[in-house]
Amino acid sequence: MAVEEEAETQKREYEHLEDLPGVGPATAQKMRELGFNTVESLATAAARELESAGIGEKKALEIIRAARSSLSLSFVRADELLKLRQTVLRLATGSKALDELLGGGLETQTITEFYGEYGSGKSQVCHQLCVNVQLPPGQGGLNGGVLYIDTENTFRTERIVQMAKNLGLDPESVAKNIIVAEAYTSDHQMFLLEKSDSIIKENNIRLIIVDSLTAHFRSEYIGREMLASRQQKLNKHMHRLIRLARAFNTAAVVTNQVMAKPDVFFGNAVHPIGGHVVGHTSHTRVFLRKSARGPVRIARLVSSVYLPEGERVFKITENGIEDIGEDEEPTRRR
Ligand code: GTP
Ligand code: MG
């Protein structure tokens, strides 16, 4: 009984048919002959269909159930969705104003995207979150570690040390709780995320960062004819991230550069890379830009499922991400 319960709660991801419990090469072969080549397709199968390949009803039901649990949350009932929402936690950014913009901090189980031009503060926000997530929930953290996929070699432990000291934390133990994985190509980046579930579990990871989500894709997939495959890969990558965030109740952050695009009404406007694919899977998109005052940054909530759009300012200092002082209100236009 206890074992059964554990099996219920322990959601696993199965990559191949043969990974499913009770499925050997022969059973897998039978299922393939029926057109079930993937765990995903099996999750939507009816036991009856498998029976026609000579798989007993009980076993068929077990296989389908395992396949569904592997997809974890792709198919959920509305009441289950509500239950899931109630387990959403919040991660503080270091700036109360920015937290307020986000409805109380970054949410777990969803992807938050920070986009903006060079030097707008995307990586700095990521660094600050790496430290904050280690705080207890009462102080805006999630009592957990970080998986930081660094694609541009911009992660700096020195910066973490500064920020940790500012919060009165032991810099060495803070640094120990951050697992940095450098991604050399977009394929490598995808591979790292695909192989990360055991790392996340074993290290109590509560924040997954991909900084930058799009840089490799942008430099490797050039030209119109490669656009479709780039978008397909990005889509897959983002879905992998959202599934991990849901399965482990972690916060997930991606950063994104912008490109200038002629706009009919506003002249040259900037748009995040990745278009609809990234937009539809990032539940919260925050546009960061510099202000006329050096350390001050303007954050605009561009899209969120349920929060109103709005703007707030914060600053980047020696200490990290902070609220601005009363006398530091920036000139909004740059
Ligand atoms: P790209 O990755 O190049 O697209 O930019 P980004 O948006 O990631 O920019 P990033 O977060 O790296 O911001 C860099 C800016 O943060 C610098 O230009 C500084 O203004 C500020 N900054 C970074 N480190 C420090 C620091 O130690 N002290 C202070 N005061 N500011 C810092
Ligand atoms: Mg950066």
Side-chain angles (χ1 to χ4, degrees):
M1 182 63 197
V3 175
E4 245 181 66
E5 271 172 14
E6 189 162 337
E8 274 286 332
T9 50
Q10 240 183 26
K11 288 197 189 300
R12 274 200 49 188
E13 294 213 356
Y14 302 102
E15 192 124 355
H16 307 289
L17 298 184
E18 287 87 349
D19 301 337
L20 290 159
V23 176
T27 308
Q29 184 52 32
K30 283 182 201 163
M31 294 193 294
R32 286 199 177 95
E33 280 163 16
L34 289 171
F36 296 110
N37 293 296
T38 62
V39 175
E40 282 81 356
S41 66
L42 259 185
T44 57
R48 202 174 0 94
E49 294 176 272
L50 301 193
E51 282 172 57
S52 68
I55 298 167
E57 186 187 356
K58 189 163 173 279
K59 189 170 174 187
L61 282 170
E62 273 169 17
I63 292 172
I64 294 167
R65 213 160 127 214
R68 285 191 182 151
S69 83
S70 171
L71 287 194
S72 64
L73 305 157
S74 294
F75 303 96
V76 284
R77 297 196 317 253
D79 62 330
E80 291 171 337
L81 208 57
L82 188 67
K83 237 190 272 167
L84 197 69
R85 287 287 309 167
Q86 285 162 356
T87 61
V88 165
L89 303 169
R90 298 274 182 175
L91 170 59
T93 60
S95 152
K96 292 224 157 49
L98 188 51
D99 289 348
E100 194 182 279
L101 182 73
L102 298 169
L106 272 75
E107 284 193 338
T108 58
Q109 301 176 22
T110 63
I111 299 175
T112 304
E113 174 191 356
F114 290 95
Y115 73 93
E117 63 172 6
Y118 166 81
S120 58
K122 304 179 293 291
S123 298
Q124 291 300 310
V125 170
C126 291
H127 279 68
Q128 185 69 61
L129 292 169
C130 285
V131 180
N132 293 1
V133 72
Q134 304 193 33
L135 292 166
Q139 294 173 40
L142 302 171
N143 246 341
V146 186
L147 173 64
Y148 198 120
I149 298 183
D150 182 14
T151 73
E152 297 180 299
N153 191 18
T154 53
F155 179 84
R156 293 290 174 273
T157 308
E158 303 87 298
R159 193 64 178 126
I160 296 292
V161 168
Q162 272 181 326
M163 291 171 171
K165 278 186 185 158
N166 177 54
L167 291 177
L169 299 171
D170 172 38
E172 209 169 304
S173 50
V174 168
K176 269 193 189 134
N177 284 328
I178 306 170
I179 296 171
V180 184
E182 203 180 332
Y184 301 108
T185 63
S186 65
D187 275 340
H188 187 215
Q189 179 182 335
M190 290 179 74
F191 173 84
L192 289 172
L193 199 63
E194 265 150 38
K195 301 291 162 217
S196 66
D197 56 347
S198 51
I199 289 173
I200 292 169
K201 198 169 172 178
E202 284 157 19
N203 296 281
N204 184 32
I205 298 294
R206 306 310 303 276
L207 169 65
I208 308 167
I209 294 174
V210 185
D211 180 21
S212 132
L213 171 73
T214 46
H216 282 315
F217 287 96
R218 190 185 192 186
S219 64
E220 292 166 24
Y221 293 78
I222 300 159
R224 279 212 150 265
E225 63 284 0
M226 289 181 96
L227 193 63
S229 48
R230 182 189 85 177
Q231 293 303 85
Q232 201 179 15
K233 290 246 167 125
L234 259 176
N235 191 30
K236 193 175 167 211
H237 193 44
M238 289 290 273
H239 275 99
R240 177 69 196 172
L241 182 57
I242 189 72
R243 276 169 59 181
L244 288 170
R246 288 184 178 174
F248 297 100
N249 199 12
T250 73
V253 173
V254 301
T255 67
N256 197 355
Q257 280 95 346
V258 290
M259 57 179 178
K261 210 173 175 182
D263 188 291
V264 185
F265 298 107
F266 302 106
N268 268 341
V270 290
H271 294 266
I273 311 286
H276 295 305
V277 164
V278 177
H280 287 162
T281 32
S282 307
H283 298 98
T284 307
R285 309 192 96 176
V286 184
F287 176 40
L288 296 181
R289 65 189 200 275
K290 297 175 198 165
S291 75
R293 280 188 161 221
V296 176
R297 298 291 186 277
I298 304 162
R300 186 201 297 175
L301 187 69
V302 175
S303 86
S304 158
V305 182
Y306 63 94
L307 293 170
E309 292 203 354
E311 274 190 3
R312 294 288 188 284
V313 290
F314 66 91
K315 65 180 174 181
I316 307 172
T317 70
E318 212 64 17
N319 293 337
I321 303 300
E322 293 185 310
D323 278 318
I324 60 163
E326 275 172 19
D327 54 337
E328 290 177 304
E329 190 62 26
T331 331
R332 294 275 166 134
R333 298 271 163 249
R334 221 167 56 92

